[in-house]
Amino acid sequence: MDLNQPAGENYANPQICFFHVLFKASALAFYILSALFFDSFVIIFVVTVLLAALDFWVVKNVSGRILVGLRWWNEINDLGESVWKFECLDQESLSRMNKKDSWLFWWTLYLTAVVWIVLGIFSLIRFQADYLLVVGVCLTLSIANIVGFTKCRKDAKKQIQQFASQTIASRFSSTIQSAFSVV
């Protein structure tokens, strides 16, 4: 992940980028500004968590697949064990991914979690356990996507390395075979 925003390149998927940021910003903005407009904790809790859940779903199922070519999910196998599943585009498609889209995806993914942590610290300082619950749910959804996509990215890199080493080994083997078949 590059720390500096890529220059000279436009977003390839501006609508997806917009919605990727929209739900994150709306959940955070509603949580921060809701105290000005609502006295009901229940409304604040329900709307904030609903917006964070929409963000979770959009990131996991739409923007992650389109902006960075990754998708993850978790299944329970027949033995009752949790199994992570990962999908990524092939190497050629991954190399064509837009750098600016990728930059926006990763930075907003991590930055949102950091903001929720800061809001959680403020809730702790102000002794607002109920609002800490809201932050905890939203932070959990953010961290779930961070963990899922980070594992998916590592799995994709491992698959690329395996493919590269298999290709090199195959080429080497065919070169050796053709060298000995000439003799």
Side-chain angles (χ1 to χ4, degrees):
M1 179 171 59
D2 192 7
L3 295 178
N4 299 319
Q5 183 178 13
E9 185 177 17
N10 287 328
Y11 292 103
N13 302 288
Q15 297 89 358
I16 302 299
C17 291
F18 173 76
F19 284 105
H20 178 75
V21 174
L22 177 69
F23 289 117
K24 290 176 185 343
S26 61
L28 288 165
F30 185 84
Y31 176 79
I32 292 167
L33 300 173
S34 62
L36 302 172
F37 304 107
F38 301 106
D39 289 333
S40 172
F41 170 75
V42 173
I43 291 173
I44 294 168
F45 179 87
V46 170
V47 174
T48 304
V49 170
L50 179 64
L51 290 169
L54 286 170
D55 171 56
F56 174 81
W57 186 88
V58 166
V59 170
K60 184 176 169 306
N61 296 305
V62 180
S63 63
R65 190 170 44 86
I66 294 172
L67 299 180
V68 292
L70 302 172
R71 203 175 84 139
W72 66 272
W73 66 97
N74 192 291
E75 293 178 350
I76 305 299
N77 66 14
D78 294 337
L79 301 173
E81 299 166 335
S82 179
V83 179
W84 288 83
K85 301 283 186 172
F86 306 109
E87 261 182 20
C88 67
L89 294 176
D90 58 72
Q91 175 59 30
E92 184 180 325
S93 298
L94 281 174
S95 67
R96 287 190 311 239
M97 297 302 292
N98 183 283
K99 302 265 187 278
K100 207 167 194 178
D101 287 355
S102 178
W103 180 89
L104 178 83
F105 177 85
W106 290 108
W107 271 95
T108 56
L109 194 67
Y110 287 107
L111 190 60
T112 303
V114 169
V115 173
W116 282 120
I117 289 169
V118 169
L119 291 171
I121 291 168
F122 283 137
S123 293
L124 273 174
I125 291 170
R126 296 175 68 192
F127 297 110
Q128 294 178 318
D130 48 355
Y131 287 91
L132 190 59
L133 177 64
V134 177
V135 171
V137 171
C138 295
L139 181 61
T140 300
L141 291 170
S142 286
I143 289 175
N145 264 333
I146 289 170
V147 169
F149 280 107
T150 302
K151 284 185 172 193
C152 192
R153 191 164 95 187
K154 287 179 182 176
D155 188 61
K157 286 180 181 177
K158 186 169 48 172
Q159 287 177 2
I160 291 166
Q161 289 171 343
Q162 286 174 345
F163 174 75
S165 64
Q166 287 173 350
T167 303
I168 291 169
S170 171
R171 300 264 178 175
F172 181 74
S173 171
S174 64
T175 303
I176 298 289
Q177 287 176 349
S178 63
F180 283 116
S181 65
V182 172
V183 177

